Amino acid sequence: MRIFTSKIKGERVVLDGDSHRHVAYALRSKVGDRITLCPQDGCDYSGVIEKITSDKTTVKIVEKFRSLGEPNIELTVYFAIPHKSEKIDLIVQKLTELGVVRMQPIVSKFVQVGAKSVKEDRLARICEEAAKQCGRGVIPKVSTTISFDDMCEELGGYDLAIFAYENEKTVSLKSVLRSSRSIKTVAAIVGSEGGFAPEEASKAAEFGARCVSLGSRILRAETANMALAAAIMYELDEWQIKSEEKGV
Ligand code: SAH
């Protein structure tokens, strides 16, 4: 059982409010049960429930170890907003499972909906649920929607920016990833159902992004988001088996 908490100080943590209710009532935990607390500081804290009252659950911390669910690569995905809100939900849930640190909705030329269709509270809940379920140590963020041009201004801040372009006929994702060394921060940019305009691909390239093909089939926007994030994680060695490093 994983619970996201605020900063942990000392060897006991008192949960109240929603986290107490979740642990004590929804999960029906008992004194003596093990629990993992995630204060989002890069570590997981394993503890034992010591006391449960009507409004508080006290946990005694037993062990601290580096969060295994967090990749070394910091991947931010810029996704052009798809038409249907279910697709946004799906993208956000799956990218959370894949270890993305931030998701940034963008409005590009062929996006047919406005920023209003991005329901930030709902997406934050989806992120938290998915992060708990898959064992992340940090809940990723869905940032407030920005324009394609504003996105371009941010691209220089990454070690590598990858622009998935359906009309790219020569450069493969693999060739770009294999020729990049010591990368820590990566941006991945994916279009909506309408794809990207040629002038958008050239502008992103001017700002340092590498336009790549994801193969000879055209993927739907939601598939492209997931496939690109998965391929980046795999190729940059994030699908290794990690072992627990205690006492950090
Ligand atoms: N309507 C467009 C396809 C858009 S697919 C067309 O018919 O051409 C949605 C987005 O997924 C694209 O903008 C791109 O970012 C990504 N994508 C899908 N398939 C791709 C491929 N084979 N190579 C690169 N990017 C792809």
Side-chain angles (χ1 to χ4, degrees):
M1 171 190 4
R2 299 174 76 77
I3 299 289
F4 289 97
T5 61
S6 50
K7 210 165 184 299
I8 291 181
K9 302 180 209 94
E11 58 169 24
R12 276 189 180 70
V13 174
V14 178
L15 304 174
D16 55 11
D18 281 350
S19 33
H20 158 70
R21 280 190 289 277
H22 186 63
V23 172
Y25 301 117
L27 300 171
R28 298 179 189 202
S29 305
K30 295 183 199 58
V31 168
D33 285 357
R34 293 289 284 217
I35 181 170
T36 303
L37 302 179
C38 309
Q40 307 199 54
D41 63 356
C43 291
D44 288 349
Y45 296 70
S46 175
V48 175
I49 298 180
E50 211 173 45
K51 194 171 161 196
I52 302 178
T53 63
S54 59
D55 59 349
K56 286 183 175 54
T57 300
T58 307
V59 179
K60 185 174 188 312
I61 305 293
V62 181
E63 255 166 4
K64 173 185 178 186
F65 44 89
R66 209 176 297 285
S67 191
L68 296 179
E70 287 312 303
N72 295 318
I73 296 293
E74 287 171 24
L75 174 59
T76 298
V77 174
Y78 292 83
F79 65 94
I81 308 171
H83 194 55
K84 291 196 177 145
S85 69
E86 303 91 85
K87 291 195 173 183
I88 307 179
D89 293 354
L90 187 66
I91 290 170
V92 165
Q93 184 191 57
K94 298 307 168 206
L95 292 181
T96 300
E97 291 170 33
L98 288 163
V100 165
V101 74
R102 183 165 78 91
M103 290 159 264
Q104 173 63 74
I106 54 168
V107 176
S108 57
K109 189 166 178 191
F110 300 135
V111 167
Q112 295 171 8
V113 292
K116 277 209 295 289
S117 63
V118 179
K119 308 281 182 235
E120 288 181 23
D121 291 350
R122 178 184 164 76
L123 296 176
R125 279 199 302 279
I126 291 177
C127 285
E128 180 167 353
E129 280 307 308
K132 265 189 208 155
Q133 174 273 324
C134 73
R136 297 265 322 238
V138 173
I139 306 172
K141 285 198 173 43
V142 179
S143 306
T144 304
T145 304
I146 58 172
S147 66
F148 186 90
D149 289 350
D150 286 347
M151 172 195 79
C152 287
E153 300 287 341
E154 292 185 6
L155 298 182
Y158 294 92
D159 298 336
L160 177 66
I162 293 170
F163 187 95
Y165 187 38
E166 57 276 21
N167 295 327
E168 174 58 49
K169 297 292 175 237
T170 49
V171 181
S172 71
L173 172 64
K174 191 168 182 165
S175 65
V176 167
L177 289 173
R178 295 219 166 156
S179 61
S180 312
R181 299 224 177 275
S182 44
I183 315 161
K184 170 94 177 145
T185 57
V186 181
I189 304 141
V190 181
S192 59
E193 294 89 343
F196 283 123
E199 61 272 22
E200 288 179 321
S202 341
K203 178 155 186 184
E206 270 168 43
F207 280 81
R210 310 285 303 274
C211 292
V212 302
S213 165
L214 300 181
S216 44
R217 289 172 299 278
I218 299 290
L219 308 176
R220 285 182 184 261
E222 64 277 27
T223 317
N225 272 282
M226 295 177 217
L228 179 54
I232 291 171
M233 290 295 183
Y234 177 80
E235 189 60 40
L236 298 182
D237 265 349
E238 290 292 348
W239 284 15
Q240 305 274 18
I241 296 170
K242 297 186 197 165
S243 60
E244 286 185 1
E245 196 184 323
K246 291 180 183 159
V248 290

